[in-house]
Amino acid sequence: MKSRLQRVGLGLAALAVLAGIFAYSLWNRRTLYTTTWFDLFDTVSVVKGYARSQAEWDEQMDALHAELLHYHQLFDIYHHYDGMVNLCDVNAQAAAAPVAVDEDLFDFFNWYTQQVQTDGAVNIAAGAVLSLWHDARESDTPAPPADALIQDALTHCNAADLQLDPNAHTVFFADPDLQLDVGAVAKGYSVELAASAAEARGLDSALLNIGGNLRAIGEKANGEGAWTVGVENPWNDDPAYIQTLALPNGCNLIVSGDYQRYFEYEGVRYSHLIDLTTGYPAQYVSSVAVLTTDQGGGIGDAFSTALFCLPEADGRRLLETQPGLEALWMYPDGTTTQTNGWPGQPTE
């Protein structure tokens, strides 16, 4: 009888353990949420991720949006914002006298000058020529700028004329016609900082898609594995994505292509990605995708632009200076090439 009671007791105990495990799993199971914003970096931003409640998710998204909006305003070269000295203010004032900037903007300049090495394919001091193409693209009747204007603008893109004083935190333009444009790096840099801050606040399962800059935070919840992302088809036909890949925690997938910001003139497509050796839009590829290692969003953004604006052979040599990056080149004839470690798989 005692043995029977022991067996019954053990059975009840096992059921209690199983019930506890089930209750714990149910309590910790999280729901997938999605948030969309239209006021960041002149693009559409979508964040999806897991939380235990709508309130928890909304709190995280409010903080993430505030971070991203701060960087959007900081790097805006077209508008001034009260309460900060941003790039618009620097462009307007730095040729006359050194401009004092806050630590976050000076940190960006330090990061760029110390870590972004692209042999001139990306140059934040090239605003003089980039602004010509921006104005042409935004015109009611888009047409390429006059070649004489382009050639003159290229003489005002010397990065050495951007003078930084680390003690006073000031920025000065030695060339009065120099202008800054950080569009090739600012979004990736901003997304990386904002994602890291979100992780510090406890966000541990999300996928950020900020205008095509993808950054993984953790994995999907509930044991569903890594985030799966796609490389967009640049040729305007089916399928929508030509490859898919798993995006590990902390890594970024960043794509630069000629199929979003462009205009056509006399049958020729002119994209926003400028070859700074010629002053004209680069025409080597349709698109380039770059996969970064952990926390490499700013570098990945710079290299996706640089690889788009270089012949592939030059781009491969440049990649050798930056271990950990993998790349996929997509050409106008529908062919692709890739680095040896590129993990993408063709969509079915």
Side-chain angles (χ1 to χ4, degrees):
M1 177 66 71
K2 184 176 180 181
S3 176
R4 183 179 179 185
L5 289 174
Q6 287 176 330
R7 290 196 298 271
V8 171
L10 289 171
L12 291 174
L15 287 173
V17 170
L18 290 173
I21 293 173
F22 177 77
Y24 179 82
S25 175
L26 190 64
W27 174 258
N28 284 278
R29 186 169 183 82
R30 292 185 280 177
T31 301
L32 178 64
Y33 296 96
T34 301
T35 296
T36 302
W37 301 307
F38 299 94
D39 59 347
L40 302 171
F41 304 104
D42 301 318
T43 189
V44 179
S45 301
V46 180
V47 182
K48 59 182 179 180
Y50 291 83
R52 292 176 180 83
S53 68
Q54 183 73 58
E56 177 187 307
W57 177 254
D58 289 344
E59 182 179 2
Q60 286 283 0
M61 290 303 100
D62 287 347
L64 178 62
H65 179 263
E67 290 265 353
L68 289 168
L69 184 62
H70 170 74
Y71 291 114
H72 163 83
Q73 295 176 348
L74 189 68
F75 297 129
D76 191 340
I77 61 174
Y78 302 109
H79 306 94
H80 163 79
Y81 299 92
D82 292 339
M84 69 163 60
V85 176
N86 72 351
L87 283 187
C88 179
D89 302 315
V90 172
N91 276 343
Q93 303 169 21
V99 177
V101 299
D102 289 337
E103 185 175 2
D104 52 1
L105 185 51
F106 204 84
D107 284 347
F108 165 79
F109 288 125
N110 275 335
W111 167 83
Y112 172 80
T113 56
Q114 294 172 16
Q115 297 192 36
V116 180
Q117 307 297 326
T118 62
D119 291 339
V122 169
N123 179 6
I124 65 170
V129 68
L130 297 178
S131 65
L132 292 176
W133 287 100
H134 172 270
D135 293 345
R137 194 168 59 251
E138 297 298 315
S139 169
D140 292 336
T141 56
D147 182 68
L149 293 177
I150 293 172
Q151 301 311 316
D152 179 67
L154 285 173
T155 67
H156 301 292
C157 300
N158 188 347
D161 290 325
L162 172 61
Q163 299 184 359
L164 308 174
D165 185 334
N167 295 316
H169 276 199
T170 59
V171 183
F172 176 68
F173 297 165
D175 177 353
D177 292 317
L178 184 143
Q179 290 283 280
L180 297 176
D181 185 323
V182 301
V185 294
K187 189 164 56 171
Y189 177 86
S190 303
V191 170
E192 193 57 60
L193 290 181
S196 296
E199 290 169 327
R201 289 190 295 268
L203 184 64
D204 61 2
S205 179
L207 179 66
L208 283 61
N209 183 347
I210 312 301
N213 284 44
L214 299 169
R215 208 282 198 174
I217 294 177
E219 295 186 338
K220 298 176 184 177
N222 311 319
E224 296 178 20
W227 295 102
T228 300
V229 297
V231 177
E232 191 171 355
N233 188 332
W235 304 301
N236 297 319
D237 55 14
D238 292 328
Y241 299 94
I242 64 168
Q243 289 192 14
T244 59
L245 61 149
L247 191 61
N249 174 38
C251 296
N252 300 262
L253 177 68
I254 300 173
V255 180
S256 292
D258 67 0
Y259 53 93
Q260 291 182 331
R261 296 185 181 183
Y262 68 92
F263 67 88
E264 292 189 356
Y265 180 78
E266 296 183 349
V268 177
R269 175 178 294 188
Y270 294 89
S271 80
H272 71 294
L273 297 160
I274 307 302
D275 179 348
L276 296 177
T277 64
T278 66
Y280 285 81
Q283 296 183 331
Y284 301 107
V285 293
S286 296
S287 185
V288 173
V290 170
L291 177 66
T292 78
T293 53
D294 189 28
Q295 298 184 329
I299 294 296
D301 204 0
F303 268 72
S304 71
T305 301
L307 297 185
F308 186 95
C309 294
L310 291 169
E312 183 182 328
D314 293 343
R316 286 182 179 272
R317 284 192 290 271
L318 185 63
L319 282 173
E320 293 174 359
T321 69
Q322 192 71 43
L325 297 183
E326 303 294 344
L328 172 72
W329 289 263
M330 292 155 273
Y331 286 92
D333 63 1
T335 60
T336 65
T337 58
Q338 61 195 47
T339 54
N340 292 335
W342 175 259
Q345 298 296 319
T347 55
E348 298 179 356

